[in-house]
Amino acid sequence: MRRFDSQEIAWLECLVLVARIGPISAPAFLARLHFSRAAGRALILQPRGHFGYCYVRPAHLATADAAQDERRSLMALLLLLAWLRREGYLAVEHDEGDMAPPLLVVGEAFDAVRPERSRVVLNAQGDYSCEPHQVLSVRGEVAYEGLRLEGDAFTLAREWARGTLHASLALEELLALVRPAPQPAPACVPVEAVHARAPSGGSRTIAAVARTMLRLNVVTWLTLLVCAAIAGIQLGGAVRPDERTAGPGPTPVAAVRTAPVSMQQDLPATHASVASISAPTPAVAAPTPTPTASTPAGPLYGLDVSKWNGNWVDQLKGSLAGISFVFVRASDGLTADPTFDRHWTAVRSNGLVRGSYHFYRVDIDADQQAQFYLRMLGGASEQGDIAPALDFEAESFPPGAPPSKEKVQADLLRALQALERQGDRVPMIYTNWDMGTKWLDDERFARYPLWIADWSQRNAPRLPATWAQQGFRFWQRTDHYLPPNDNRLAMDLDWFIGHHRDLTR
């Protein structure tokens, strides 16, 4: 019979939990087991080129043997999974179209992959790759080193980087056969006494063996905790926000800043299944603002989409119950979003309030960007639409040293002023706390309503100091809302705490 080392037994224990909870995403399981953010690893495969890279934090490759150890560890896991599959303990179900993407990505660290000109941006922090063997941070520092996978290593990894994993309960019997039997200490003999009788120069004492067993048990229990986390966020098992009601009376903007919210409200069944094993962020339950004289009964919910959401119109048609508004990306720098016209028309035809946004680029002339954005909107934003918005985030900066803060602020203000002057609406700014705090600490930005990105479970978003008094207009609450009709279509979910009639003010 095949022998299993302690690490393989720990992996078997995780697979037993999978067998008990039912089928889960194969890449998500692989990510939790080996490519977690905490482990400092990620995996990208290029099926058409028949190669891939295992990305590792530079700190993990400090010694000469570290790279080889990383390869051995990954191959040990892949070979175990292949053996279990061959023996009938595991199966992977592949959809017909799941090899269509040019990249297969596994890991929590690379959760927002998108090509941009001559580079690929990999996450919300702005880590990017121009050469496949290396990933750089927005500051140009090496964030990950790549270990190339070819041949058998690539073939094995590809099988588990897609599809749905099914595990047999027969794994419980296998685990019982290979797991070492516990070895309790002799009854009524203190460990200290055993240690005292052991020869000082001989082999390890029983106490030392016990300490070694304890360390192994800690590793095993830590692994079980990871698997328990997998079980806790199994497909369709958690609740994310997606229903809303409108209450009577207007809502002052200041009330949005201060209104406390509860994180415990359950959602109607229409949007109850909105979490997936592949989501890197925790499940979020829709909050309900605590009613006051000026606070409505509940928030309105919306989405924001771009070409990265693919054929969004067809996939979500008929499943928009509870959605009140949708933001559509119009442009990026001086490039039109190829899906804008279709999305823009479809949002209105579905009876939803629509808004648009432009992804702002620091290295492109601000006036030209404003003009381009307005042309995409037909010259001016209609009064029945949400005010236009400029998206300012880490990816707005090109690789290399950034311009001075003074220049960034002056250019962005010029773009905002051009939009207001020619579009007859006060535009909004989309940003997060980090970028707003670092780059937008000029009180002149407070004139422009804030669309804040804060993907957390806090009762209220963190606001840059510039908007501490005004509060926020919209809150992008998560980037992993999963519509009930397709758990693979992760989307951004936004909240508006106010009334439907105030969306377009």
Side-chain angles (χ1 to χ4, degrees), residues 86-154:
R86 187 169 61 250
E87 296 297 316
Y89 292 103
L90 299 179
V92 181
E93 178 184 3
H94 293 149
D95 295 334
E96 291 183 2
D98 64 6
M99 283 298 291
L103 298 178
L104 292 173
V105 182
V106 177
E108 301 167 330
F110 299 163
D111 56 1
V113 178
R114 58 184 185 279
E116 290 188 359
R117 300 180 214 169
S118 60
R119 62 177 181 170
V120 177
V121 177
L122 300 169
N123 52 33
Q125 289 73 43
D127 294 341
Y128 66 95
S129 178
C130 295
E131 300 291 339
H133 68 277
Q134 203 170 63
V135 173
L136 304 178
S137 70
V138 290
R139 296 183 296 275
E141 301 167 346
V142 177
Y144 292 87
E145 294 281 5
L147 305 176
R148 189 176 176 93
L149 303 179
E150 296 178 298
D152 291 342
F154 166 78

Side-chain angles (χ1 to χ4, degrees), residues 381-450:
S381 175
E382 298 181 18
Q383 291 301 315
D385 299 331
I386 299 171
L390 289 186
D391 181 343
F392 177 75
E393 51 187 278
E395 288 82 358
S396 297
F397 290 81
S404 68
K405 180 188 292 188
E406 291 74 16
K407 176 171 173 52
V408 171
Q409 291 180 344
D411 288 349
L412 183 56
L413 282 167
R414 197 166 74 250
L416 291 164
Q417 291 161 0
L419 287 175
E420 181 177 1
R421 184 174 58 254
Q422 300 175 45
D424 297 323
R425 302 285 298 277
V426 178
M428 299 186 296
I429 298 176
Y430 169 95
T431 195
N432 56 35
W433 184 88
D434 291 328
M435 294 296 292
T437 298
K438 180 177 181 180
W439 295 98
L440 307 180
D441 57 349
D442 187 315
E443 63 181 12
R444 289 177 293 176
F445 287 111
R447 167 177 173 74
Y448 303 99
L450 177 64

Side-chain angles (χ1 to χ4, degrees), residues 21 55 69 155 184 220 484-485 505:
I21 67 175
Y55 291 97
D69 290 342
T155 302
T220 299
N485 67 319
R505 62 191 173 100

